[in-house]
Amino acid sequence: MKLYQQGHEKKIEGLQLADNGQMFSLKCPCDSVRCKNSFNMPPFYSVAHFAVSSSLCSIGSFNVGELGSMDKKVVLITGCSSGIGLSLAVRLASDPDKTFKVYATMRNLSKKERLLESVKGLHRDTLDILQMDVTDRQSILDARDRIVEKRINILVCNAGVGLMGPLEVQSLNSMRHILEVNLLGTIQTIQAFLPQMKAQSQGRILVTGSTGGLHGLPFNEVYCASKFAIEGACESLAILLKHFNIHVSLIECGPVNTDFLVNLKKTELGDTSLQQVDTQTQRLYEKYLQHCRSVFQNAAQDTEDIVKVFLDAIQSPSPAFRYFTSTTGPPVTQLKVTEPDDSYISAMSKIIFSTEEQ
C-alpha cells in the first residue's frame, strides 16, 4: 500500500486523503451518491497500520482505536537456527489468527534453511529472518533498525552455548566466549531494545534460563556461572521494569532434545588435554558423562513442550517471573534453599555420581 502526495491531496491506491492539518480524512472513491464513508485518523498513524477493504462501501465506519487493535504483536527471538528458538518462531508465525509478526534472528544465516523448511513458505507476512550476533553490539543495532514496525512487544533472549569438562582444561578464550554469549549477549540485546519498550510503557522480555542457573552442576562451572548471573540480572530488571509495565520472565529449562549437546563445546574422554588432569577427576568426569547420557535418554523434553511454556508466559495477562518446564527441577532447587548446604551438596553428588566416592 503506497501513500503519496499530489499537490495538497494525499492519495492511497485510489482513495483520496484530504489533509486539514490535524486529521486525514479517508474518502471512499465510490461513485454512488449514497456512499458517505469517510474515516478520520491522526497524521502520525502510518498507512502500514491499516487494512483497507477493496469495497469500502460495505464497511460503514471505524475509529482509530479499532485500527490500532489490528496491529500484530512484534516478537524478536534470538538463537533461531535450531532448537527452542526455531520451534518458538515457527509456532508464533503459524498462529491462525496471525497475532504475531516474528523476527527470527541467528548469527549465521547459512543455517536458515531449516527454519525455512519448517515454515514451508506459508508465513511470508508473519516471519522475517534477520542476521544477528548477540556478541556484536553493532549487529544487534543493525537488526533492530531492520524491524519494519520500529517497535517490539516481546523480546525473547534464547541464544546460548554450553561448555563442559574439567575446569583445569578450559582455555581463557573458551570461558570468555561462554560469558560473552550467555551473559553479555543477553544483556546487550536487552539494552538495545529497552529504551523503546520503556517509551511505549509496555513489553515482555522472556529469557531462556536453565536449572544450571539455579543449582551447580559439576564440570559445568563456567556455564553455570553465566546462567547464575543471568538469574541475578533478570531479577534485578524485573524489579525495576515493573514500573514501566514491562514483564520479565525466565523460562527455566532442564535437559531438552535440541542441537545444544551437538553444539556444546565438550572435552571428550580421549582428548589429550585430559592427560593434565588427575585420574580421580577423569574417573568422575566419565561417570558424569554417563549420567548425562542417561538423563537425556530418559528425561529430556521435546522442544514443543518448552514452547508451550513460552506461550503460557506470552499469553498470560500477569506473567510469572519464573516458569519451570519440568517438575524434576524445582524439588532440587527447594532442597538448596531449605536444607543446610552440606545436605544439598551431598544430595546432588549422590544423584550424579551414585554411590561412588561418598
Side-chain angles (χ1 to χ4, degrees):
M1 222 177 261
K2 288 185 177 179
L3 175 66
Y4 61 94
Q5 186 166 348
Q6 186 177 29
H8 294 289
E9 296 179 338
K10 292 182 174 62
K11 295 186 177 181
I12 170 173
E13 294 184 348
L15 303 178
Q16 185 175 351
L17 288 82
D19 186 357
N20 63 13
Q22 297 297 323
M23 304 286 288
F24 293 151
S25 178
L26 191 65
K27 295 184 178 180
C28 178
C30 179
D31 291 332
S32 171
V33 294
R34 295 174 300 165
C35 178
K36 302 297 182 183
N37 289 329
S38 66
F39 315 101
N40 291 327
M41 52 187 171
F44 57 78
Y45 267 82
S46 69
V47 176
H49 285 101
F50 304 95
V52 180
S53 170
S54 60
S55 178
L56 287 176
C57 294
S58 64
I59 292 181
S61 63
F62 55 91
N63 58 43
V64 169
E66 292 170 335
L67 288 168
S69 68
M70 294 180 183
D71 289 346
K72 291 181 173 67
K73 292 181 179 178
V74 181
V75 186
L76 184 136
I77 309 171
T78 66
C80 291
S81 61
S82 64
I84 297 170
L86 184 149
S87 295
L88 181 60
V90 172
R91 175 62 183 83
L92 294 179
S94 303
D95 180 74
D97 297 326
K98 297 186 181 296
T99 305
F100 305 99
K101 170 61 179 294
V102 179
Y103 288 90
T105 74
M106 58 189 70
R107 181 179 59 86
N108 187 353
L109 283 181
S110 67
K111 296 182 178 181
K112 69 181 179 181
E113 294 306 318
R114 189 170 170 184
L115 177 56
L116 291 174
E117 289 173 6
S118 298
V119 298
K120 297 179 173 59
L122 300 177
H123 314 297
R124 297 183 187 279
D125 57 339
T126 58
L127 175 69
D128 278 344
I129 302 174
L130 301 178
Q131 191 279 332
M132 191 173 106
D133 181 352
V134 299
T135 67
D136 183 343
R137 178 167 176 77
Q138 189 58 52
S139 174
I140 297 171
L141 297 178
D142 290 344
R144 184 192 65 183
D145 292 343
R146 287 195 292 272
I147 296 176
V148 176
E149 296 81 1
K150 301 305 178 186
R151 62 178 171 84
I152 61 167
N153 304 100
I154 302 165
L155 174 63
V156 180
C157 296
N158 170 72
V161 290
L163 179 68
M164 182 188 296
L167 185 62
E168 300 94 312
V169 306
Q170 307 300 347
S171 70
L172 181 59
N173 284 339
S174 64
M175 292 188 289
R176 181 180 286 118
H177 179 65
I178 297 300
L179 296 173
E180 286 178 347
V181 175
N182 295 355
L183 175 59
L184 298 179
T186 298
I187 289 176
Q188 68 178 354
T189 298
I190 294 173
Q191 268 186 323
F193 292 96
L194 194 54
Q196 174 264 318
M197 297 179 89
K198 282 182 174 180
Q200 68 189 21
S201 296
Q202 181 274 334
R204 299 197 178 190
I205 300 172
L206 284 72
V207 178
T208 302
S210 169
T211 54
L214 300 171
H215 57 74
L217 296 169
F219 303 109
N220 284 270
E221 293 83 5
V222 181
Y223 171 76
C224 286
S226 71
K227 289 299 187 178
F228 266 74
I230 281 297
E231 294 283 327
C234 288
E235 189 169 314
S236 301
L237 279 171
I239 296 169
L240 170 67
L241 297 183
K242 187 178 183 69
H243 296 274
F244 295 88
N245 194 33
I246 299 171
H247 299 278
V248 179
S249 295
L250 278 160
I251 313 299
E252 310 286 14
C253 303
V256 185
N257 287 316
T258 68
D259 288 345
F260 184 81
L261 278 184
V262 177
N263 299 326
L264 173 69
K265 184 174 176 54
K266 178 177 66 175
T267 305
E268 301 294 344
L269 288 176
D271 196 304
T272 55
S273 65
L274 286 177
Q275 294 176 2
Q276 61 182 293
V277 179
D278 62 272
T279 56
Q280 184 177 2
T281 299
Q282 291 184 39
R283 192 164 60 248
L284 289 170
Y285 183 50
E286 183 175 3
K287 190 77 174 178
Y288 178 72
L289 292 179
Q290 292 172 359
H291 167 77
C292 287
R293 284 192 291 268
S294 174
V295 167
F296 272 87
Q297 287 173 2
N298 301 315
Q301 295 179 282
D302 292 329
T303 55
E304 287 306 312
D305 297 326
I306 311 302
V307 166
K308 289 177 183 177
V309 181
F310 272 93
L311 290 176
D312 286 344
I314 289 172
Q315 296 170 347
S316 171
S318 182
F321 175 64
R322 280 194 180 88
Y323 289 83
F324 292 93
T325 66
S326 170
T327 58
T328 58
V332 177
T333 305
Q334 186 176 11
L335 176 66
K336 176 179 178 178
V337 297
T338 59
E339 297 294 328
D341 288 347
D342 57 343
S343 298
Y344 164 73
I345 298 297
S346 296
M348 285 297 292
S349 184
K350 287 178 181 178
I351 290 171
I352 294 171
F353 299 117
S354 185
T355 58
E356 183 175 338
E357 297 295 334
Q358 300 302 315

